[in-house]
Amino acid sequence: MTKHKNHISRRKFIGDTCAALGYTTLFSSLINLKAMAASAMDNSALAFGGDYKALVCVLLGGGNDSFNMLIPKGDSEYGEYATSRSNLAIPQNDILRINPNTSDGRVFGLHPSIPDIQQLFESGNLAFLANVGTLIEPSSKTDVLNGVVKTPLGLFSHADQIQQWQTGRPHERTNTGWGGKIADLVQSMNSNQNISMNISLQGSNIFQRGDQITPYTISNNGSIGINGYGESGYFNELKTAALNSMLERDYQDIFKNAYKETIKTSNDANLEFQAAIDTILEFSAPLPEMNNLAAQLRMVAKTIASRDTLGFSRQIFFVQIGGWDHHDELLINQSNKLEQVNQALKYFNDVMTELNVSDCVTTFSISDFARTLTSNGNGTDHAWGGNAFMMGGAVNGKEIYGNYPSLALNSDDSFRDGVMIPTTAADSYMAELALWFGVPASELQTVLPNISKFYDTASNEPPIGFMNML
């Protein structure tokens, strides 16, 4: 069939419209319409306007040996732990006891390097989630050994597992994260559409990258702009004038113009962000010395303190402390790392209290995986399920959620060499945080495509229960 020369196809119309409006503008509008439609359909949906909430993701990069972070302390269960861990067991008397509100009769404690985390737990501001990990579907030891369930791609691989913790998609390799997917849905709640609601202190990352949203990268000192722009001094003033001249021009070449607009938008965002941050006074809580994680969290706190000036109702932050791949010298190296996390969390909790936003900010940990219970001589190797922490005023604290497994090497939860098969899916952990943040239950599968295998999104109960949804 010969098409009439004036016929306009649906595909061409959409393409021309996208070109005219800009793909980002059009698809951002579609995302916003989707979020608003979800709000109308679901009572648990977004509450547009007014309240503020922030998620702070703390990546323990390299694979935290988290069964030496949250440890059995009672005589019977400690005996199993000590036998499995051999020369890597923390002495029983050194373990800092914790007293969960709900107990199954077992006694637990924490690594001796985290006394402030112990106090945060006891005061109800922190909780733990036991034996959580990446899963494609519920998996028992028999299922895994017989190969009748799908296991995550690249299990035990740093690259794959740290990606899956950031994407919530253990069945595939993708460059979009669950934090980014959440931001796609709720970005319209923020009046500021010039600066991303996803702010990273550790450069580009998968966790915060969505279909439309990308992370806005800052440093421990604030926004990263054009070196010397707007600063005093003869050469800086010449540079600023030259850049302004280039940024104010309109170029006939569409690629030059697009590049110019990208630079101008980035520069304007930098100036806006830094101006807001510079108005924030130093906090009363003393910043721990030589602690990069605490320094990252200080800038997170300054950004939160600037939320009204910047026009944010929802924000997601990403911070990281690396160096947890302890194949050697586990006891010394992990102790040093945990001490830094301990200081940083206490500092951040103190500052959130000072800003009176504790109930609005939830901090949570992720890591590549836990590590083998068995020793390789002086360290541990890559494993699977492990323990995470959640901190904030909205956390139902002083509890250990999930199922803390028997640490005997022949237990039903031990795959091999003390590799724990997760009893709680990372999807459930992520879904609970997403629901608290304002994602409608009806949209959870957009963020976490496998969630229906672990949680009924029509349920009136949360996936795990560690967040106060009110």
Side-chain angles (χ1 to χ4, degrees), residues 146-180:
N146 292 335
V148 299
V149 293
K150 295 179 181 178
T151 55
L153 292 176
L155 191 60
F156 312 125
S157 154
H158 281 297
D160 286 296
Q161 291 306 295
I162 197 55
Q163 181 184 80
Q164 290 165 30
W165 266 102
Q166 294 182 70
T167 64
R169 294 167 182 256
H171 59 292
E172 63 180 353
R173 295 181 176 98
T174 177
N175 64 353
T176 56
W178 61 275

PDB file of all heavy atoms in Angstrom, residues 146-180:
ATOM      1  N   ASN A 146      19.949 -29.263  45.260  1.00  0.00           N
ATOM      2  CA  ASN A 146      19.396 -30.046  44.158  1.00  0.00           C
ATOM      3  C   ASN A 146      19.200 -29.232  42.886  1.00  0.00           C
ATOM      4  O   ASN A 146      18.783 -29.777  41.856  1.00  0.00           O
ATOM      5  CB  ASN A 146      18.058 -30.668  44.572  1.00  0.00           C
ATOM      6  CG  ASN A 146      18.228 -31.740  45.632  1.00  0.00           C
ATOM      7  OD1 ASN A 146      19.294 -32.345  45.741  1.00  0.00           O
ATOM      8  ND2 ASN A 146      17.183 -31.974  46.419  1.00  0.00           N
ATOM      9  N   GLY A 147      19.496 -27.953  42.964  1.00  0.00           N
ATOM     10  CA  GLY A 147      19.400 -27.110  41.784  1.00  0.00           C
ATOM     11  C   GLY A 147      17.992 -26.906  41.272  1.00  0.00           C
ATOM     12  O   GLY A 147      17.793 -26.700  40.064  1.00  0.00           O
ATOM     13  N   VAL A 148      16.994 -26.940  42.161  1.00  0.00           N
ATOM     14  CA  VAL A 148      15.606 -26.792  41.723  1.00  0.00           C
ATOM     15  C   VAL A 148      15.102 -25.361  41.867  1.00  0.00           C
ATOM     16  O   VAL A 148      13.952 -25.075  41.551  1.00  0.00           O
ATOM     17  CB  VAL A 148      14.672 -27.763  42.493  1.00  0.00           C
ATOM     18  CG1 VAL A 148      15.076 -29.197  42.237  1.00  0.00           C
ATOM     19  CG2 VAL A 148      14.686 -27.456  43.988  1.00  0.00           C
ATOM     20  N   VAL A 149      15.958 -24.446  42.345  1.00  0.00           N
ATOM     21  CA  VAL A 149      15.604 -23.028  42.407  1.00  0.00           C
ATOM     22  C   VAL A 149      16.669 -22.227  41.666  1.00  0.00           C
ATOM     23  O   VAL A 149      17.829 -22.659  41.552  1.00  0.00           O
ATOM     24  CB  VAL A 149      15.489 -22.518  43.862  1.00  0.00           C
ATOM     25  CG1 VAL A 149      14.312 -23.150  44.574  1.00  0.00           C
ATOM     26  CG2 VAL A 149      16.785 -22.747  44.630  1.00  0.00           C
ATOM     27  N   LYS A 150      16.256 -21.085  41.168  1.00  0.00           N
ATOM     28  CA  LYS A 150      17.210 -20.179  40.536  1.00  0.00           C
ATOM     29  C   LYS A 150      17.944 -19.398  41.613  1.00  0.00           C
ATOM     30  O   LYS A 150      17.319 -18.871  42.536  1.00  0.00           O
ATOM     31  CB  LYS A 150      16.484 -19.222  39.591  1.00  0.00           C
ATOM     32  CG  LYS A 150      15.829 -19.900  38.399  1.00  0.00           C
ATOM     33  CD  LYS A 150      15.107 -18.877  37.528  1.00  0.00           C
ATOM     34  CE  LYS A 150      14.429 -19.544  36.343  1.00  0.00           C
ATOM     35  NZ  LYS A 150      13.684 -18.566  35.505  1.00  0.00           N
ATOM     36  N   THR A 151      19.239 -19.319  41.498  1.00  0.00           N
ATOM     37  CA  THR A 151      20.033 -18.518  42.430  1.00  0.00           C
ATOM     38  C   THR A 151      20.525 -17.263  41.708  1.00  0.00           C
ATOM     39  O   THR A 151      20.592 -17.223  40.474  1.00  0.00           O
ATOM     40  CB  THR A 151      21.227 -19.322  42.964  1.00  0.00           C
ATOM     41  OG1 THR A 151      22.004 -19.818  41.859  1.00  0.00           O
ATOM     42  CG2 THR A 151      20.755 -20.492  43.810  1.00  0.00           C
ATOM     43  N   PRO A 152      20.861 -16.224  42.457  1.00  0.00           N
ATOM     44  CA  PRO A 152      21.269 -14.956  41.835  1.00  0.00           C
ATOM     45  C   PRO A 152      22.433 -15.133  40.868  1.00  0.00           C
ATOM     46  O   PRO A 152      23.329 -15.957  41.088  1.00  0.00           O
ATOM     47  CB  PRO A 152      21.666 -14.095  43.042  1.00  0.00           C
ATOM     48  CG  PRO A 152      20.849 -14.645  44.172  1.00  0.00           C
ATOM     49  CD  PRO A 152      20.780 -16.118  43.928  1.00  0.00           C
ATOM     50  N   LEU A 153      22.419 -14.333  39.810  1.00  0.00           N
ATOM     51  CA  LEU A 153      23.509 -14.351  38.844  1.00  0.00           C
ATOM     52  C   LEU A 153      24.821 -14.006  39.543  1.00  0.00           C
ATOM     53  O   LEU A 153      24.880 -13.082  40.363  1.00  0.00           O
ATOM     54  CB  LEU A 153      23.259 -13.330  37.739  1.00  0.00           C
ATOM     55  CG  LEU A 153      22.105 -13.601  36.771  1.00  0.00           C
ATOM     56  CD1 LEU A 153      21.951 -12.425  35.819  1.00  0.00           C
ATOM     57  CD2 LEU A 153      22.353 -14.884  35.993  1.00  0.00           C
ATOM     58  N   GLY A 154      25.873 -14.738  39.219  1.00  0.00           N
ATOM     59  CA  GLY A 154      27.191 -14.412  39.757  1.00  0.00           C
ATOM     60  C   GLY A 154      27.257 -14.462  41.268  1.00  0.00           C
ATOM     61  O   GLY A 154      27.937 -13.628  41.885  1.00  0.00           O
ATOM     62  N   LEU A 155      26.545 -15.413  41.869  1.00  0.00           N
ATOM     63  CA  LEU A 155      26.590 -15.540  43.329  1.00  0.00           C
ATOM     64  C   LEU A 155      28.042 -15.679  43.789  1.00  0.00           C
ATOM     65  O   LEU A 155      28.818 -16.431  43.190  1.00  0.00           O
ATOM     66  CB  LEU A 155      25.768 -16.755  43.755  1.00  0.00           C
ATOM     67  CG  LEU A 155      25.471 -16.915  45.241  1.00  0.00           C
ATOM     68  CD1 LEU A 155      24.688 -15.719  45.766  1.00  0.00           C
ATOM     69  CD2 LEU A 155      24.679 -18.204  45.468  1.00  0.00           C
ATOM     70  N   PHE A 156      28.404 -14.944  44.842  1.00  0.00           N
ATOM     71  CA  PHE A 156      29.751 -14.877  45.420  1.00  0.00           C
ATOM     72  C   PHE A 156      30.693 -13.942  44.646  1.00  0.00           C
ATOM     73  O   PHE A 156      31.838 -13.771  45.031  1.00  0.00           O
ATOM     74  CB  PHE A 156      30.405 -16.264  45.549  1.00  0.00           C
ATOM     75  CG  PHE A 156      29.525 -17.302  46.169  1.00  0.00           C
ATOM     76  CD1 PHE A 156      29.281 -18.493  45.522  1.00  0.00           C
ATOM     77  CD2 PHE A 156      28.924 -17.090  47.404  1.00  0.00           C
ATOM     78  CE1 PHE A 156      28.464 -19.457  46.076  1.00  0.00           C
ATOM     79  CE2 PHE A 156      28.103 -18.038  47.971  1.00  0.00           C
ATOM     80  CZ  PHE A 156      27.867 -19.230  47.305  1.00  0.00           C
ATOM     81  N   SER A 157      30.202 -13.337  43.561  1.00  0.00           N
ATOM     82  CA  SER A 157      31.016 -12.384  42.806  1.00  0.00           C
ATOM     83  C   SER A 157      30.782 -10.977  43.342  1.00  0.00           C
ATOM     84  O   SER A 157      29.639 -10.535  43.464  1.00  0.00           O
ATOM     85  CB  SER A 157      30.641 -12.449  41.322  1.00  0.00           C
ATOM     86  OG  SER A 157      30.907 -11.227  40.661  1.00  0.00           O
ATOM     87  N   HIS A 158      31.863 -10.266  43.648  1.00  0.00           N
ATOM     88  CA  HIS A 158      31.725  -8.883  44.122  1.00  0.00           C
ATOM     89  C   HIS A 158      30.921  -8.040  43.138  1.00  0.00           C
ATOM     90  O   HIS A 158      29.965  -7.362  43.527  1.00  0.00           O
ATOM     91  CB  HIS A 158      33.110  -8.232  44.285  1.00  0.00           C
ATOM     92  CG  HIS A 158      33.834  -8.604  45.523  1.00  0.00           C
ATOM     93  ND1 HIS A 158      33.373  -8.305  46.791  1.00  0.00           N
ATOM     94  CD2 HIS A 158      35.006  -9.254  45.706  1.00  0.00           C
ATOM     95  CE1 HIS A 158      34.235  -8.749  47.700  1.00  0.00           C
ATOM     96  NE2 HIS A 158      35.223  -9.332  47.054  1.00  0.00           N
ATOM     97  N   ALA A 159      31.332  -8.072  41.871  1.00  0.00           N
ATOM     98  CA  ALA A 159      30.710  -7.193  40.876  1.00  0.00           C
ATOM     99  C   ALA A 159      29.216  -7.452  40.757  1.00  0.00           C
ATOM    100  O   ALA A 159      28.405  -6.517  40.710  1.00  0.00           O
ATOM    101  CB  ALA A 159      31.399  -7.383  39.524  1.00  0.00           C
ATOM    102  N   ASP A 160      28.827  -8.731  40.724  1.00  0.00           N
ATOM    103  CA  ASP A 160      27.416  -9.060  40.554  1.00  0.00           C
ATOM    104  C   ASP A 160      26.606  -8.788  41.814  1.00  0.00           C
ATOM    105  O   ASP A 160      25.499  -8.234  41.747  1.00  0.00           O
ATOM    106  CB  ASP A 160      27.265 -10.525  40.151  1.00  0.00           C
ATOM    107  CG  ASP A 160      27.669 -10.765  38.704  1.00  0.00           C
ATOM    108  OD1 ASP A 160      26.994 -10.216  37.819  1.00  0.00           O
ATOM    109  OD2 ASP A 160      28.655 -11.472  38.462  1.00  0.00           O
ATOM    110  N   GLN A 161      27.136  -9.168  42.957  1.00  0.00           N
ATOM    111  CA  GLN A 161      26.347  -9.047  44.173  1.00  0.00           C
ATOM    112  C   GLN A 161      26.173  -7.595  44.615  1.00  0.00           C
ATOM    113  O   GLN A 161      25.098  -7.197  45.058  1.00  0.00           O
ATOM    114  CB  GLN A 161      26.956  -9.901  45.292  1.00  0.00           C
ATOM    115  CG  GLN A 161      26.830 -11.391  45.044  1.00  0.00           C
ATOM    116  CD  GLN A 161      25.392 -11.802  44.771  1.00  0.00           C
ATOM    117  OE1 GLN A 161      24.532 -11.699  45.630  1.00  0.00           O
ATOM    118  NE2 GLN A 161      25.121 -12.239  43.544  1.00  0.00           N
ATOM    119  N   ILE A 162      27.211  -6.799  44.470  1.00  0.00           N
ATOM    120  CA  ILE A 162      27.044  -5.397  44.855  1.00  0.00           C
ATOM    121  C   ILE A 162      26.127  -4.687  43.869  1.00  0.00           C
ATOM    122  O   ILE A 162      25.404  -3.745  44.229  1.00  0.00           O
ATOM    123  CB  ILE A 162      28.407  -4.682  44.963  1.00  0.00           C
ATOM    124  CG1 ILE A 162      28.252  -3.373  45.754  1.00  0.00           C
ATOM    125  CG2 ILE A 162      29.024  -4.413  43.613  1.00  0.00           C
ATOM    126  CD1 ILE A 162      27.626  -3.534  47.125  1.00  0.00           C
ATOM    127  N   GLN A 163      26.121  -5.151  42.621  1.00  0.00           N
ATOM    128  CA  GLN A 163      25.171  -4.596  41.655  1.00  0.00           C
ATOM    129  C   GLN A 163      23.745  -4.972  42.044  1.00  0.00           C
ATOM    130  O   GLN A 163      22.837  -4.138  42.025  1.00  0.00           O
ATOM    131  CB  GLN A 163      25.485  -5.101  40.245  1.00  0.00           C
ATOM    132  CG  GLN A 163      24.557  -4.538  39.174  1.00  0.00           C
ATOM    133  CD  GLN A 163      24.820  -5.121  37.808  1.00  0.00           C
ATOM    134  OE1 GLN A 163      24.381  -6.217  37.489  1.00  0.00           O
ATOM    135  NE2 GLN A 163      25.558  -4.391  36.990  1.00  0.00           N
ATOM    136  N   GLN A 164      23.522  -6.239  42.403  1.00  0.00           N
ATOM    137  CA  GLN A 164      22.169  -6.700  42.716  1.00  0.00           C
ATOM    138  C   GLN A 164      21.617  -6.051  43.981  1.00  0.00           C
ATOM    139  O   GLN A 164      20.407  -5.781  44.066  1.00  0.00           O
ATOM    140  CB  GLN A 164      22.170  -8.224  42.832  1.00  0.00           C
ATOM    141  CG  GLN A 164      22.377  -8.909  41.497  1.00  0.00           C
ATOM    142  CD  GLN A 164      22.730 -10.378  41.626  1.00  0.00           C
ATOM    143  OE1 GLN A 164      22.320 -11.039  42.582  1.00  0.00           O
ATOM    144  NE2 GLN A 164      23.483 -10.901  40.673  1.00  0.00           N
ATOM    145  N   TRP A 165      22.470  -5.785  44.943  1.00  0.00           N
ATOM    146  CA  TRP A 165      22.003  -5.076  46.132  1.00  0.00           C
ATOM    147  C   TRP A 165      21.559  -3.654  45.775  1.00  0.00           C
ATOM    148  O   TRP A 165      20.724  -3.068  46.451  1.00  0.00           O
ATOM    149  CB  TRP A 165      23.106  -5.036  47.193  1.00  0.00           C
ATOM    150  CG  TRP A 165      22.991  -6.157  48.180  1.00  0.00           C
ATOM    151  CD1 TRP A 165      23.720  -7.306  48.222  1.00  0.00           C
ATOM    152  CD2 TRP A 165      22.083  -6.230  49.279  1.00  0.00           C
ATOM    153  NE1 TRP A 165      23.316  -8.092  49.276  1.00  0.00           N
ATOM    154  CE2 TRP A 165      22.322  -7.458  49.940  1.00  0.00           C
ATOM    155  CE3 TRP A 165      21.088  -5.390  49.767  1.00  0.00           C
ATOM    156  CZ2 TRP A 165      21.596  -7.854  51.068  1.00  0.00           C
ATOM    157  CZ3 TRP A 165      20.368  -5.780  50.883  1.00  0.00           C
ATOM    158  CH2 TRP A 165      20.625  -6.999  51.522  1.00  0.00           C
ATOM    159  N   GLN A 166      22.121  -3.107  44.718  1.00  0.00           N
ATOM    160  CA  GLN A 166      21.754  -1.749  44.304  1.00  0.00           C
ATOM    161  C   GLN A 166      20.594  -1.724  43.308  1.00  0.00           C
ATOM    162  O   GLN A 166      19.889  -0.718  43.217  1.00  0.00           O
ATOM    163  CB  GLN A 166      22.969  -1.043  43.689  1.00  0.00           C
ATOM    164  CG  GLN A 166      24.092  -0.788  44.689  1.00  0.00           C
ATOM    165  CD  GLN A 166      25.251  -0.052  44.065  1.00  0.00           C
ATOM    166  OE1 GLN A 166      25.164   1.133  43.729  1.00  0.00           O
ATOM    167  NE2 GLN A 166      26.367  -0.743  43.880  1.00  0.00           N
ATOM    168  N   THR A 167      20.394  -2.830  42.576  1.00  0.00           N
ATOM    169  CA  THR A 167      19.332  -2.835  41.571  1.00  0.00           C
ATOM    170  C   THR A 167      18.055  -3.505  42.056  1.00  0.00           C
ATOM    171  O   THR A 167      16.967  -3.213  41.549  1.00  0.00           O
ATOM    172  CB  THR A 167      19.789  -3.572  40.296  1.00  0.00           C
ATOM    173  OG1 THR A 167      20.031  -4.953  40.601  1.00  0.00           O
ATOM    174  CG2 THR A 167      21.050  -2.941  39.723  1.00  0.00           C
ATOM    175  N   GLY A 168      18.151  -4.442  43.006  1.00  0.00           N
ATOM    176  CA  GLY A 168      16.994  -5.230  43.393  1.00  0.00           C
ATOM    177  C   GLY A 168      16.569  -6.189  42.293  1.00  0.00           C
ATOM    178  O   GLY A 168      15.419  -6.627  42.265  1.00  0.00           O
ATOM    179  N   ARG A 169      17.497  -6.560  41.418  1.00  0.00           N
ATOM    180  CA  ARG A 169      17.199  -7.435  40.285  1.00  0.00           C
ATOM    181  C   ARG A 169      18.260  -8.533  40.181  1.00  0.00           C
ATOM    182  O   ARG A 169      19.142  -8.482  39.311  1.00  0.00           O
ATOM    183  CB  ARG A 169      17.140  -6.618  38.984  1.00  0.00           C
ATOM    184  CG  ARG A 169      15.982  -5.633  38.962  1.00  0.00           C
ATOM    185  CD  ARG A 169      16.094  -4.625  37.836  1.00  0.00           C
ATOM    186  NE  ARG A 169      14.975  -3.692  37.910  1.00  0.00           N
ATOM    187  CZ  ARG A 169      13.920  -3.733  37.104  1.00  0.00           C
ATOM    188  NH1 ARG A 169      13.829  -4.659  36.170  1.00  0.00           N
ATOM    189  NH2 ARG A 169      12.945  -2.860  37.240  1.00  0.00           N
ATOM    190  N   PRO A 170      18.193  -9.541  41.064  1.00  0.00           N
ATOM    191  CA  PRO A 170      19.229 -10.581  41.076  1.00  0.00           C
ATOM    192  C   PRO A 170      19.155 -11.543  39.899  1.00  0.00           C
ATOM    193  O   PRO A 170      20.044 -12.374  39.728  1.00  0.00           O
ATOM    194  CB  PRO A 170      18.961 -11.318  42.397  1.00  0.00           C
ATOM    195  CG  PRO A 170      17.519 -11.105  42.663  1.00  0.00           C
ATOM    196  CD  PRO A 170      17.209  -9.732  42.149  1.00  0.00           C
ATOM    197  N   HIS A 171      18.119 -11.423  39.089  1.00  0.00           N
ATOM    198  CA  HIS A 171      17.931 -12.307  37.939  1.00  0.00           C
ATOM    199  C   HIS A 171      18.514 -11.740  36.656  1.00  0.00           C
ATOM    200  O   HIS A 171      18.519 -12.415  35.622  1.00  0.00           O
ATOM    201  CB  HIS A 171      16.438 -12.574  37.726  1.00  0.00           C
ATOM    202  CG  HIS A 171      15.644 -11.322  37.480  1.00  0.00           C
ATOM    203  ND1 HIS A 171      15.458 -10.369  38.465  1.00  0.00           N
ATOM    204  CD2 HIS A 171      15.014 -10.849  36.373  1.00  0.00           C
ATOM    205  CE1 HIS A 171      14.737  -9.374  37.972  1.00  0.00           C
ATOM    206  NE2 HIS A 171      14.462  -9.642  36.708  1.00  0.00           N
ATOM    207  N   GLU A 172      18.998 -10.485  36.705  1.00  0.00           N
ATOM    208  CA  GLU A 172      19.510  -9.866  35.486  1.00  0.00           C
ATOM    209  C   GLU A 172      20.540  -8.802  35.826  1.00  0.00           C
ATOM    210  O   GLU A 172      20.634  -8.341  36.960  1.00  0.00           O
ATOM    211  CB  GLU A 172      18.371  -9.218  34.697  1.00  0.00           C
ATOM    212  CG  GLU A 172      17.687  -8.078  35.434  1.00  0.00           C
ATOM    213  CD  GLU A 172      16.552  -7.454  34.633  1.00  0.00           C
ATOM    214  OE1 GLU A 172      16.395  -7.837  33.457  1.00  0.00           O
ATOM    215  OE2 GLU A 172      15.842  -6.596  35.186  1.00  0.00           O
ATOM    216  N   ARG A 173      21.311  -8.450  34.828  1.00  0.00           N
ATOM    217  CA  ARG A 173      22.290  -7.377  34.981  1.00  0.00           C
ATOM    218  C   ARG A 173      21.728  -6.125  34.322  1.00  0.00           C
ATOM    219  O   ARG A 173      21.395  -6.133  33.137  1.00  0.00           O
ATOM    220  CB  ARG A 173      23.635  -7.784  34.365  1.00  0.00           C
ATOM    221  CG  ARG A 173      24.288  -8.951  35.099  1.00  0.00           C
ATOM    222  CD  ARG A 173      25.633  -9.345  34.503  1.00  0.00           C
ATOM    223  NE  ARG A 173      26.247 -10.396  35.310  1.00  0.00           N
ATOM    224  CZ  ARG A 173      26.204 -11.690  35.032  1.00  0.00           C
ATOM    225  NH1 ARG A 173      25.537 -12.106  33.945  1.00  0.00           N
ATOM    226  NH2 ARG A 173      26.789 -12.572  35.811  1.00  0.00           N
ATOM    227  N   THR A 174      21.622  -5.050  35.093  1.00  0.00           N
ATOM    228  CA  THR A 174      21.004  -3.821  34.613  1.00  0.00           C
ATOM    229  C   THR A 174      21.728  -2.631  35.217  1.00  0.00           C
ATOM    230  O   THR A 174      22.434  -2.765  36.224  1.00  0.00           O
ATOM    231  CB  THR A 174      19.509  -3.779  35.002  1.00  0.00           C
ATOM    232  OG1 THR A 174      18.941  -2.532  34.582  1.00  0.00           O
ATOM    233  CG2 THR A 174      19.319  -3.922  36.494  1.00  0.00           C
ATOM    234  N   ASN A 175      21.556  -1.470  34.606  1.00  0.00           N
ATOM    235  CA  ASN A 175      22.228  -0.270  35.112  1.00  0.00           C
ATOM    236  C   ASN A 175      21.261   0.700  35.780  1.00  0.00           C
ATOM    237  O   ASN A 175      21.577   1.870  35.944  1.00  0.00           O
ATOM    238  CB  ASN A 175      22.982   0.437  33.982  1.00  0.00           C
ATOM    239  CG  ASN A 175      22.064   0.962  32.898  1.00  0.00           C
ATOM    240  OD1 ASN A 175      20.859   0.696  32.899  1.00  0.00           O
ATOM    241  ND2 ASN A 175      22.625   1.719  31.962  1.00  0.00           N
ATOM    242  N   THR A 176      20.074   0.236  36.160  1.00  0.00           N
ATOM    243  CA  THR A 176      19.152   1.080  36.922  1.00  0.00           C
ATOM    244  C   THR A 176      18.946   0.483  38.309  1.00  0.00           C
ATOM    245  O   THR A 176      18.860  -0.742  38.459  1.00  0.00           O
ATOM    246  CB  THR A 176      17.791   1.217  36.218  1.00  0.00           C
ATOM    247  OG1 THR A 176      17.226  -0.076  35.989  1.00  0.00           O
ATOM    248  CG2 THR A 176      17.943   1.933  34.889  1.00  0.00           C
ATOM    249  N   GLY A 177      18.864   1.335  39.307  1.00  0.00           N
ATOM    250  CA  GLY A 177      18.775   0.885  40.692  1.00  0.00           C
ATOM    251  C   GLY A 177      17.411   1.118  41.303  1.00  0.00           C
ATOM    252  O   GLY A 177      16.605   1.896  40.785  1.00  0.00           O
ATOM    253  N   TRP A 178      17.172   0.459  42.427  1.00  0.00           N
ATOM    254  CA  TRP A 178      15.862   0.607  43.073  1.00  0.00           C
ATOM    255  C   TRP A 178      15.700   1.983  43.699  1.00  0.00           C
ATOM    256  O   TRP A 178      14.587   2.501  43.770  1.00  0.00           O
ATOM    257  CB  TRP A 178      15.610  -0.526  44.066  1.00  0.00           C
ATOM    258  CG  TRP A 178      16.552  -0.672  45.224  1.00  0.00           C
ATOM    259  CD1 TRP A 178      17.746  -1.326  45.250  1.00  0.00           C
ATOM    260  CD2 TRP A 178      16.343  -0.201  46.566  1.00  0.00           C
ATOM    261  NE1 TRP A 178      18.312  -1.285  46.503  1.00  0.00           N
ATOM    262  CE2 TRP A 178      17.464  -0.601  47.335  1.00  0.00           C
ATOM    263  CE3 TRP A 178      15.324   0.508  47.185  1.00  0.00           C
ATOM    264  CZ2 TRP A 178      17.593  -0.304  48.695  1.00  0.00           C
ATOM    265  CZ3 TRP A 178      15.449   0.817  48.538  1.00  0.00           C
ATOM    266  CH2 TRP A 178      16.569   0.407  49.283  1.00  0.00           C
ATOM    267  N   GLY A 179      16.794   2.618  44.095  1.00  0.00           N
ATOM    268  CA  GLY A 179      16.706   4.001  44.554  1.00  0.00           C
ATOM    269  C   GLY A 179      16.354   4.951  43.427  1.00  0.00           C
ATOM    270  O   GLY A 179      15.623   5.925  43.615  1.00  0.00           O
ATOM    271  N   GLY A 180      16.863   4.657  42.243  1.00  0.00           N
ATOM    272  CA  GLY A 180      16.523   5.453  41.068  1.00  0.00           C
ATOM    273  C   GLY A 180      15.090   5.248  40.630  1.00  0.00           C
ATOM    274  O   GLY A 180      14.400   6.200  40.240  1.00  0.00           O
TER     275      GLY A 180
END
